[in-house]
Amino acid sequence: MSAKHQKTALVSKMDRRISRRALTKGVAAGAALALFAPPIIGRAQAATTVRLGHTQPLTGPSASYGIRGRDGALVAIKEIQAMGGFADQAGNKYIFDMTEDDMVNDPKQAVTLFRQHAADPSIVASMGPTNSVGFLPCIPIAGQLSCPLVGNGSGAPVKKWTDWAYRVNTVATTAFPAMMRVVVKEANVKRLAVIYDQTQDAQKGDADLCKELASELGYEIVAFEAMRAGDQDFSPQLSKMRTTKPDAIYVAVPTGDGVKVVSQIRTFAMDQPLITGYDSFRDPVYWDGTSGGVNGGYTWLAQDVNSADGKLKAWVENYNKTFDLEATSFSTYGYDAVWTVAECIRQTNGTDRGAIHEVLQSLEYVSPLGSKVSFKNPPHGNNLTPSVTVVQVTGRNKSRVVG
Amino acid sequence: MDLFLQQLINGVIIGSTYAVVAIGFALVFTVLRVINFAHPEIFMTGMFAGLLAGSHISDNFFVVLIFGAIGAGAVGLTLERFVLRPLRGRDVLMTLIGTLGVAIMLQNGMAKFMSPDPVAYPKSLQVSLLLSDDIILTSTQAVNFIVSILLLAGVSFYVRKTRYGRATRAIAERPDVAAAFGVDVNRVSQVTVALASVMAGIAAVSVGILYGSAWAFVGLFYGLKAFICMLVAGNRYFEGVILVAMMLGVIEALVTGYVSSNFRDVAAFTILICVLYFRPNGLFGSYDT
C-alpha cells in the first residue's frame, strides 16, 4: 500500500473512529436524558419524603403491642404513598419514610432511640412506643430536645407532661373507670383479686386504679399480688389468691406474660371471670396461648375492630391479609399517629419541628378511620376525645360489646 | 396450715426445675471453667423442639420429651464445638461474651422464627387435681417434679459412679494433672455439655407441659435463678446446688404467701448477697478456678 493510500486509510479509519465515538456520545447523552430527565422534570412535582422516627417493643413481652403499632403505621405510610402523598395547604406534597426501631421492652433503649431520632434533623417527629415503660421516660426528653413525640398505645398515668409529648390512644384513666362500672354490674363483682406486673407502668397504674375505685364502685380488693416481667411461675401468688375466693380477677399484665398468668389461673381451677385493659384479651395471641382460657373475659378498647363496619371493616380485612398478627386497637393507634403527624404538616405547610409542636398543642382532627384526636397541652398530652368500648370475649376473634 | 403446705408444694416444684438448670450451669463451669450464658437458651430451645415434635409428630409425652432432649443436645454440642472449644484457654471474658452472644441469637432467633409471644404447648398430659380442694397439686406439677428428681438422681449417679463422671471430677480438681494422666479433656467437655443440654431439654419440655406454653424469653427467668443457686451453693458438691435450689423455691413461695409478692425476688438476691459476703466460695465450697 502506498503512503498516500495508507494516510487516506488512516484518516478514513479515524473518521470512522470519530464517527463511532460521536455516535457513542450521542447514544450516551440520549440515554442519560432518557434516564435522568424525567425524574428531574418530575422532581419538581413529586412528593417530598419526610422521615418519621418510630420506636416499638418489637421483641420481648410487649412485642404483640409494638408489632401492631408498627404495622398500623406502615399501613398509613403505604396508603399515603399509594395516593401520591398528602398535600399541605400550599399544595406541596409529602410522603413518609419511617424507622422501625426495637426498644426490646427496655426503657433505657427507648430513651436512646428517641435521642437518636431527635439528633437526626431529617426526622420531624418520633412515634411510639406503645408500652408505657418505654413511652413515659421519653416524655421529659421530648421537651429537653424539642422533638415532637406522638405516642400510640401507652396508657399509664403521666406525672409531668411537656408540651412536646402527646398520645393519640385512649388512656387508662379514662377507659378503666368506664369499663369497671360496666363489668362490676354485669359480673356482680363484690370481691376482686388483682395480679399485676410491677415493672410495667401501665399495668401498675391499672392495679392502683382498681384500689382507688373500690369504694366508689362497691367492691373489695381481696388479693393484690405482684409479679415481674419474664416471671414463669405464678403458683405462689395464685395459691394465695385462691384462698380469698374472689368473684373476678383483674389481670394487669402485658400480653406476653399475661398468657402465662391466665393459663396458670385456669390450671389452678379458678374459673372466675377475668378483666384486663388495653384490648388485650381480644388479642388472638391470648386466645391461642391460653387455649381459650380468656373466654368470658372483659376488656376495653378504642374501636371494636371485630364488629367494625364500613371503612374500618375494610381496613381491618386488608390489614389482616397483609400482616401475620391480626389487627387490634394498637394497629389503629399506630395508623392514627402517622395521620396525626401528617395533619400537623398539612396545617404548618412544612416540616419544621417547632411548627408541628405548635399545631399539636391545640389540635382537632379526625383520622381517615374516624378516630377523633384532639389535644390541649398544657396541661397534658392525652387525647381529649377518645372512644371507649367495653367488650366481653366470646371466642377467638369474637367478642360482644357490653358497654 | 393449708396455705403453708400449698406454698411448700409450689416451692419444691419450682425449686426442682431451678436445680436442673443450676446443675447444668455448674457442670459446664466445673469442667470448662466458663459460665455458659447460653445454657438457659439451650433450655428454651429444648422447650421449642418438644413443642414442634408435639405439634407435628406426636403429642405423646415421651415423644415430646425425647425431641426436647435431642433439640437441646444438638444445640449444646454445636455450641461446644464452635464456640467453647475454639475459645478454650483464652481470656475468660471472651468465652463469656461468646456464650452471651449465642444466648441473644437464640432468644431473638426463636422469637422471630416461632413468635415473640408465648405459644400454647401440646397437651401431652391431662391436667387433673391430685390432692384436695384446699391444697392443689396438679398431675402436671407432679410429673414435672418427678422428671426433675430423676434427672438430678441421674446426674448424681453419673458424677459419682461412672468413668466419665470420675474424669469430670478429676478435671474439676486439676485439669492439667487429669490431662497428664490420660483424661481426654475434649471428650469429657463434649460429654459434659451434651449431658447438661439434654437435661435442660428434658426439664424444659416438662416445664412447657406444666405451664401450658413455650416462650422464646423463658431462659432469662430460669437462668437468673439457677445462676444464683450455683453461686450460693458453690460448685464442689452438686447435691449442695440441688439443696439450695429447692430452698430458694420454697423461700420464694413462702415470702409470696406470708410477706408480699413484691419481695419474692428480693429474697433470692438477699440470700445471694449474704452468702457471698460471708462465704465467697459458696455454702458448700467451690473448685479452684
Side-chain angles (χ1 to χ4, degrees):
Chain A
M1 192 182 285
S2 68
K4 189 183 173 186
H5 275 122
Q6 275 182 345
K7 194 177 175 185
T8 311
L10 191 63
V11 169
S12 168
K13 209 173 172 182
M14 278 183 73
D15 284 348
R16 281 208 304 276
R17 264 190 205 153
I18 289 163
S19 167
R20 269 209 300 268
R21 193 176 292 163
L23 181 69
T24 309
K25 277 183 181 172
V27 169
L33 193 70
L35 281 171
F36 298 112
I40 291 165
I41 295 161
R43 204 169 288 158
Q45 297 166 342
T48 306
T49 302
V50 177
R51 289 194 83 212
L52 295 171
H54 197 173
T55 304
Q56 288 295 357
L58 300 174
T59 53
S62 298
S64 63
Y65 305 135
I67 292 170
R68 263 61 175 256
R70 177 201 60 188
D71 291 349
L74 286 172
V75 172
I77 286 168
K78 282 183 185 160
E79 200 174 283
I80 290 167
Q81 278 169 353
M83 58 195 256
F86 66 91
D88 65 15
Q89 290 164 330
N92 303 311
K93 285 198 155 189
Y94 305 88
I95 56 171
F96 284 128
D97 174 33
M98 184 181 80
T99 69
E100 295 174 39
D101 298 313
D102 183 10
M103 56 151 297
V104 206
N105 206 44
D106 177 0
K108 294 187 289 295
Q109 179 75 353
V111 168
T112 303
L113 291 167
F114 180 75
R115 285 185 179 279
Q116 284 177 8
H117 296 164
D120 182 346
S122 69
I123 289 179
V124 296
S126 181
M127 300 187 304
T130 49
N131 58 345
S132 297
V133 78
F135 179 75
L136 264 53
C138 291
I139 293 175
I141 317 291
Q144 289 162 17
L145 302 179
S146 303
C147 179
L149 172 65
V150 182
N152 48 18
S154 154
V158 176
K159 284 182 183 156
K160 194 174 178 192
W161 279 96
T162 158
D163 57 8
W164 288 84
Y166 298 83
R167 48 187 176 186
V168 297
N169 53 284
T170 309
V171 296
T173 44
T174 310
F176 183 88
M179 175 182 71
M180 288 305 280
R181 277 188 192 96
V182 173
V183 175
V184 164
K185 202 171 165 186
E186 166 133 342
N188 193 24
V189 180
K190 298 286 177 204
R191 299 167 64 78
L192 181 70
V194 179
I195 180 161
Y196 68 97
D197 184 344
Q198 60 182 330
T199 65
Q200 302 292 316
D201 295 304
Q203 279 67 29
K204 176 74 171 62
D206 275 7
D208 291 339
L209 283 169
C210 282
K211 272 185 173 173
E212 281 173 29
L213 285 175
S215 58
E216 185 190 328
L217 298 182
Y219 60 80
E220 180 192 355
I221 299 284
V222 292
F224 198 72
E225 297 299 320
M227 46 80 65
R228 295 176 65 83
D231 276 1
Q232 185 72 5
D233 178 68
F234 310 101
S235 54
Q237 291 97 321
L238 298 180
S239 301
K240 198 173 161 189
M241 193 181 275
R242 196 168 178 272
T243 61
T244 64
K245 299 188 176 13
D247 298 324
I249 303 168
Y250 195 95
V251 182
V253 181
T255 301
D257 288 319
V259 168
K260 294 180 279 178
V261 172
V262 171
S263 295
Q264 288 179 47
I265 286 174
R266 296 313 188 205
T267 306
F268 263 65
M270 297 166 80
D271 55 3
Q272 290 89 343
L274 306 175
I275 314 167
T276 196
Y278 307 98
D279 192 16
S280 300
F281 281 164
R282 278 184 348 108
D283 190 330
V285 167
Y286 240 125
W287 183 271
D288 296 341
T290 62
S291 305
V294 291
N295 195 17
Y298 298 91
T299 188
W300 63 261
L301 54 139
Q303 305 201 59
D304 184 13
V305 293
N306 283 356
S307 61
D309 50 20
K311 192 164 187 180
L312 182 59
K313 187 181 181 185
W315 187 89
V316 169
E317 283 172 359
N318 179 46
Y319 180 103
N320 290 346
K321 274 183 209 159
T322 313
F323 299 108
D324 293 337
L325 293 180
E326 291 136 310
T328 65
S329 284
F330 288 93
S331 314
T332 62
Y333 297 150
Y335 177 89
D336 289 341
V338 172
W339 275 106
T340 299
V341 178
E343 174 63 13
C344 294
I345 292 172
R346 193 189 69 78
Q347 289 191 25
T348 61
N349 293 333
T351 56
D352 177 61
R353 286 181 185 175
I356 290 170
H357 154 245
E358 279 176 26
V359 173
L360 278 168
Q361 282 180 293
S362 53
L363 183 72
E364 296 269 347
Y365 174 60
V366 179
S367 84
L369 282 182
S371 313
K372 290 178 187 165
V373 179
S374 50
F375 299 126
K376 185 73 188 160
N377 192 4
H380 63 74
N382 286 333
N383 185 358
L384 298 171
T385 50
S387 55
V388 181
T389 309
V390 182
V391 295
Q392 185 179 29
V393 177
T394 55
R396 191 184 190 279
N397 268 335
K398 287 181 188 160
S399 54
R400 68 179 186 98
V401 175
V402 292
Chain B
M1 191 61 188
D2 285 348
L3 181 62
F4 179 79
L5 281 175
Q6 179 69 70
Q7 298 295 22
L8 205 62
I9 290 169
N10 295 337
V12 166
I13 286 165
I14 186 72
S16 64
T17 309
Y18 291 165
V20 175
V21 184
I23 287 290
F25 258 128
L27 267 173
V28 175
F29 182 67
T30 303
V31 174
L32 282 83
R33 300 287 200 277
V34 295
I35 296 166
N36 179 11
F37 276 123
H39 187 67
E41 309 318 323
I42 291 172
F43 173 90
M44 176 273 291
T45 315
M47 188 179 268
F48 275 98
L51 183 143
L52 288 174
S55 310
H56 299 292
I57 299 171
S58 163
D59 64 359
N60 178 285
F61 176 66
F62 293 102
V63 172
V64 177
L65 217 58
I66 287 166
F67 274 88
I70 292 172
V75 175
L77 283 173
T78 310
L79 175 86
E80 194 279 333
R81 178 65 191 82
F82 295 105
V83 180
L84 299 178
R85 199 183 298 181
L87 293 177
R88 190 176 301 151
R90 304 268 184 89
D91 191 309
V92 70
L93 273 178
M94 288 180 75
T95 330
L96 204 106
I97 290 165
T99 57
L100 196 61
V102 172
I104 292 167
M105 274 167 55
L106 287 173
Q107 250 177 36
N108 289 290
M110 195 61 81
K112 186 76 186 166
F113 179 61
M114 294 298 291
S115 168
D117 298 305
V119 183
Y121 218 76
K123 294 204 182 308
S124 299
L125 292 171
Q126 285 298 316
V127 179
S128 51
L129 301 180
L130 295 180
L131 295 181
S132 65
D133 280 350
D134 294 326
I135 301 172
I136 286 184
L137 174 66
T138 64
S139 53
T140 47
Q141 281 180 313
V143 168
N144 178 256
F145 180 69
I146 291 166
V147 166
S148 300
I149 293 300
L150 286 175
L151 287 171
L152 296 170
V155 81
S156 187
F157 177 81
Y158 166 81
V159 170
R160 306 256 168 244
K161 304 284 182 191
T162 67
R163 194 162 61 89
Y164 273 106
R166 280 193 291 275
T168 303
R169 283 187 290 147
I171 293 173
E173 201 70 62
R174 284 290 297 274
D176 49 344
V177 176
F181 274 83
V183 173
D184 184 343
V185 178
N186 271 348
R187 171 61 65 186
V188 174
S189 301
Q190 209 170 29
V191 169
T192 304
V193 173
L195 177 69
S197 304
V198 165
M199 277 174 62
I202 292 173
V205 167
S206 170
V207 166
I209 292 169
L210 169 61
Y211 298 127
S213 63
W215 194 38
F217 301 94
V218 70
L220 287 171
F221 173 77
Y222 287 104
L224 182 66
K225 295 294 168 68
F227 192 54
I228 291 173
C229 294
M230 191 189 78
L231 290 179
V232 169
N235 66 336
R236 181 167 281 275
Y237 298 103
F238 293 129
E239 291 80 2
V241 179
I242 296 168
L243 184 68
V244 167
M246 295 285 192
M247 277 172 58
L248 181 65
V250 170
I251 288 169
E252 283 185 349
L254 291 177
V255 166
T256 304
Y258 290 100
V259 186
S260 166
S261 44
N262 282 305
F263 296 116
R264 183 182 178 179
D265 288 335
V266 175
F269 285 100
T270 307
I271 292 167
L272 174 69
I273 291 165
C274 290
V275 169
L276 290 183
Y277 185 79
F278 293 107
R279 292 183 67 90
N281 282 329
L283 286 175
F284 303 99
S286 296
Y287 289 109
D288 291 335
T289 51

